[in-house]
Amino acid sequence: MLRRFLLCTLLGLSAPAIGFAQDATSRLDQVLERGQLKVCTTGDYKPYSYLRDDGQYEGIDIAMAQSLAQSLGVRVKWIGTTWKSLMADFHSQQCDIAVGGISVSLERQKTAFFSQPLGVDGKIPLVRCQDLKRYETLEQINQPSVRLIEPPGGTNEIFARAHAPKANLILFADNVKIFDQLLSKQADVMITDASEARFQQKHKPGLCAVHPERYLQYSEKAFLLPRDDMAWKSYVDQWLHLSKATGAYDQVVNQWLATPAP
């Protein structure tokens, strides 16, 4: 092995990495060979991923995953997960990709890759419209009298615990019905991504996104990919780049997101 390494070095060739398998197969090759793209998604995060009552998924990232599969000439196999178990399920179930409004974080980056960012989508408050002025800042929200509601296990809960520790935090596991808790006055504020707040503002009269153009925290969204597979990441990134350059991605997004409130 040493002689081969030195010979490759002298000839200016890429030497094989000592201790690594020579015949490692990229996830790209595996997807093409099996004719199937395995996609992890929560199915509870509109407008990115939602599991309808008829058992079909819909949303921005669902459409994009279908587009990725089409570019590869394969079919999609959906694998349900939750925000609390996302990383464990992603690894144990050997998903090729995870989608559904996933925020980029260094903690997730420790054991996985991300695609190139889909865009910036920071945290903002979502409240009843009559309370817009009451919960504009973290100082107003970070009070013991404020009932702050979040789904468990995701970046919303992490943000709430870090930036509003004095608030009365309520963890509500149903990420679809959680918005009705605000409308029924069982909670006062939900801190979530601006895209979700805008979507709920559009579809649930009485709820308003608080300054959706002014993020409380910078955040990016991307697709989750297996770590150390550059061939697969390169393909996904190039497909995503072309989707954005041709306007295909914007067409999908515009079907779901509300325009910013004036």
Side-chain angles (χ1 to χ4, degrees), residues 127-136 208-211:
V127 303
R128 291 180 294 277
C129 292
Q130 64 263 34
D131 292 334
L132 270 173
K133 297 297 183 181
R134 293 183 63 183
Y135 304 116
E136 292 184 292
C208 283
V210 181
H211 300 304

Side-chain angles (χ1 to χ4, degrees), residues 42 45 82-88 90-91 98 100-114 123 152-156 158 193 219-227:
T42 63
Y45 189 16
T82 68
W83 290 110
K84 194 170 184 178
S85 64
L86 172 63
M87 296 307 295
F90 180 69
H91 295 302
I102 299 173
S103 297
V104 176
S105 73
L106 291 177
E107 190 62 31
R108 289 169 175 162
Q109 185 82 53
K110 290 176 183 178
T111 58
F113 273 175
F114 283 101
K123 304 294 184 188
T155 56
N156 288 351
I158 293 172
D193 296 314
S219 178
E220 294 177 334
K221 293 199 179 298
F223 300 135
L224 197 66
L225 300 168
R227 195 176 74 171

Side-chain angles (χ1 to χ4, degrees), residues 6-48:
L6 293 173
L7 179 60
C8 289
T9 301
L10 289 172
L11 294 176
L13 302 175
S14 296
I18 298 175
F20 288 86
Q22 305 282 322
D23 57 349
T25 303
S26 169
R27 191 63 59 95
L28 174 60
D29 301 314
Q30 296 174 21
V31 169
L32 293 171
E33 183 177 352
R34 83 168 82 99
Q36 183 185 78
L37 177 67
K38 295 186 289 184
V39 182
C40 281
T41 192
T42 63
D44 67 351
Y45 189 16
K46 295 180 180 181
Y48 297 102

Side-chain angles (χ1 to χ4, degrees), residues 120-124 192-195 212 215-220:
V120 177
D121 191 18
K123 304 294 184 188
I124 66 166
T192 186
D193 296 314
S195 57
Y215 303 138
L216 299 176
Q217 180 190 57
Y218 178 88
S219 178
E220 294 177 334

Side-chain angles (χ1 to χ4, degrees), residues 43 58 74 92 111 174:
E58 65 179 11
V74 302
S92 65
T111 58
D174 192 328

Side-chain angles (χ1 to χ4, degrees), residues 37-41 62 65 76-80 95-99:
L37 177 67
K38 295 186 289 184
V39 182
C40 281
T41 192
I62 299 302
V76 175
K77 179 182 179 181
W78 303 108
I79 298 176
C95 298
D96 303 310
I97 188 171
V99 308

Side-chain angles (χ1 to χ4, degrees), residues 47 60 194-203 212 253-261:
I60 294 172
S195 57
E196 181 175 49
R198 288 175 178 173
F199 179 85
Q200 296 301 331
Q201 173 180 270
K202 180 179 180 180
H203 290 87
V253 171
N254 290 337
Q255 294 174 12
W256 288 91
L257 290 186
T259 55

